[in-house]
Amino acid sequence: MAIYLDHNATTPPAPAVVEAMMSVFSGLWANASSQHGPGQEAKRALGAARAATARALGCKPVEVVYTSGATESNHLAVRGLLAAAAPMRRRAVFSSVEHAGHLKLARTLAEGGVSVDFIPVHGDGTLDLGAAAALIGPDVALVSLMAANNETGVLMPVAEVAALAQAAGARLHVDATQFIGKLPFDFAACGADAVSLSAHKFQGPKGVGALLLRQGVCLAPQTLGSQERNRRGGTENLPGIVGMAAALEQLGGTAGVAAEAERLAALRDALEQGLARALPALHVWAQGAPRLPGTSYLRFGRLPAEVVLNRLERLSVAASSGAACSSGGSEPSPVLTAMGVPPDEALAAVRLSLGRTTTREDVDYLLAALPPLLEPLLRQAAETAVAA
Ligand code: PMP
């Protein structure tokens, strides 16, 4: 039995997505910018996908800028909005727990002379709103904040930060990569000027995503070309774009997303409660904070993550020690470090992320099979600690 509990890293493509993409690969391969019949047919498919995407995300079709995924969307938003800002606005504010690639971008900007500040988080992973208010002033060009953290699942106060940014006249970029598909989302209501998303996080294909850019907001393009109304050049990835639209449609609208969120939260709670009953050394980070329904970030005493992941592997359970891009390293998670977690605890971090393919049977299997493997290790670790 193979069980996949790493949905925050990526998700399996939905059958409807694969089917929609196959039909584009075989029948709609022309360039959507070509003037001939097949090109115009591809252009119509692009328009239909854009309309479906806009409907699902609560934005206008012109507000969708297709990209290769959230990493590119994040770069386009941050570099593009900074370059378009008034000269007196030279500061950028990021949360201290952004995705690893995004924090790298922030540090690169700082090295290039932009004044960059980071909003701290509390011990439970929630954003320090008081610090945010102190940092977001009239000299700020851009605030960049994730909607939900990829490791802890903690939800960030987007509406409150949007109000702060608006009062200061700053632009707000939101990285909603982990949020979209897991909780109901509406671009028009979210208060952000720009929002990043990646299709493979909600059962779409990899290598395609979008930046939703509020109509009327100016941004300097980072890849030049006439596609996407000059905002992102390059021949459109039509199979990916059609696949992303199919992935959004199969979420079932607000009601479908909300129902799935409720199902996953119940499974996640059953998993955490069952593990805690069997293994009292269990610690769950951000358990009391508002968080994504399917994300559980935990440690078993101080058992190193690789030991736990090895036992999970034996059980054919796929999980990770944190973000896929940084797991496998021996450094403690920067997210946990920002929360004030000491390195020996952070190096024990294991992330279980549930998704649409997760079943009650998966959870029951894990609850029956994992504690017997970890219990002797935890007992041994406790005895060693007493002897020392
Ligand atoms: N932001 C967040 C919060 C993410 O979790 C990820 C993917 N792990 C990204 C950005 C980057 O997405 P992609 O790799 O699809 O560009």
Side-chain angles (χ1 to χ4, degrees):
M1 173 184 344
I3 295 177
Y4 185 75
L5 292 182
D6 202 12
H7 286 82
N8 285 14
T10 196
T11 57
V17 168
V18 177
E19 201 181 308
M21 292 180 76
M22 291 307 282
S23 72
V24 179
F25 278 123
S26 55
L28 278 171
W29 45 264
N31 189 320
S33 299
S34 296
Q35 295 305 307
H36 47 61
Q40 292 305 298
E41 217 183 313
K43 188 177 174 179
R44 279 193 292 279
L46 178 61
R50 195 185 299 281
T53 298
R55 247 190 332 272
L57 298 172
C59 64
K60 300 174 187 156
V62 296
E63 293 177 319
V64 179
V65 182
Y66 286 114
T67 65
S68 63
T71 304
E72 185 192 336
S73 297
N74 285 350
H75 278 67
L76 173 59
V78 168
R79 287 197 186 277
L81 290 170
L82 275 179
M88 36 83 63
R89 292 183 182 272
R90 295 308 335 145
R91 286 180 54 223
V93 175
F94 291 72
S95 92
S96 56
V97 293
E98 293 300 304
H99 189 254
H102 208 45
L103 286 178
K104 253 185 210 169
L105 171 62
R107 286 192 290 271
T108 305
L109 292 172
E111 283 160 19
V114 179
S115 166
V116 178
D117 286 298
F118 296 94
I119 309 169
V121 292
H122 298 293
D124 65 353
T126 56
L127 196 77
D128 183 340
L129 260 178
L135 286 171
I136 301 171
D139 54 346
V140 170
L142 173 76
V143 181
S144 189
L145 174 70
M146 60 192 352
N149 186 267
N150 45 305
E151 294 185 16
T152 57
V154 167
L155 305 179
M156 296 295 162
V158 171
E160 288 83 347
V161 173
L164 292 173
Q166 199 181 17
R171 295 292 187 208
L172 173 64
H173 163 248
V174 169
D175 177 357
T177 307
Q178 292 291 346
F179 188 99
I180 288 175
K182 299 189 179 105
L183 285 169
F185 172 82
D186 185 72
F187 180 63
C190 82
D193 296 294
V195 167
S196 301
L197 59 137
S198 231
H200 71 101
K201 303 291 187 182
F202 47 86
Q203 295 200 279
K206 288 158 192 62
V208 65
L211 182 70
L212 308 182
L213 185 66
R214 192 169 304 290
Q215 199 169 21
V217 172
C218 283
L219 151 152
Q222 302 298 302
T223 348
L224 304 182
S226 58
Q227 292 86 358
E228 300 300 296
R229 296 175 179 247
N230 297 308
R231 295 169 298 185
R232 196 270 192 178
T235 302
E236 300 86 350
N237 168 9
L238 193 58
I241 287 168
V242 168
M244 180 158 83
L248 287 167
E249 283 182 320
Q250 58 94 38
L251 293 173
T254 305
V257 172
E260 177 62 6
E262 206 175 308
R263 187 187 77 90
L264 283 182
L267 284 184
R268 190 262 326 264
D269 291 348
L271 180 61
E272 290 179 353
Q273 286 158 14
L275 286 175
R277 263 195 303 275
L279 303 166
L282 180 84
H283 177 79
V284 182
W285 282 293
Q287 199 168 20
R291 56 185 173 142
L292 291 172
T295 304
S296 193
Y297 203 30
L298 35 84
R299 64 176 168 82
F300 299 89
R302 284 176 182 69
L303 284 184
E306 64 265 23
V307 172
V308 179
L309 290 174
N310 168 281
R311 298 310 186 275
L312 286 167
E313 192 71 42
R314 282 193 212 166
L315 299 174
S316 293
V317 175
S320 76
S321 58
C325 347
S326 52
S327 60
S330 54
E331 291 298 307
S333 143
V335 175
L336 291 176
T337 304
M339 287 161 60
V341 174
D344 61 331
E345 291 181 10
L347 289 170
V350 172
R351 182 184 67 186
L352 304 175
S353 48
L354 290 58
R356 290 214 167 206
T357 56
T358 309
T359 62
R360 178 80 216 189
E361 288 70 37
D362 294 342
V363 171
D364 289 344
Y365 168 71
L366 193 64
L367 286 178
L370 187 60
L373 291 187
L374 296 187
E375 204 275 328
L377 299 173
L378 285 165
R379 195 162 6 98
Q380 200 178 10
E383 281 163 13
T384 314
V386 170

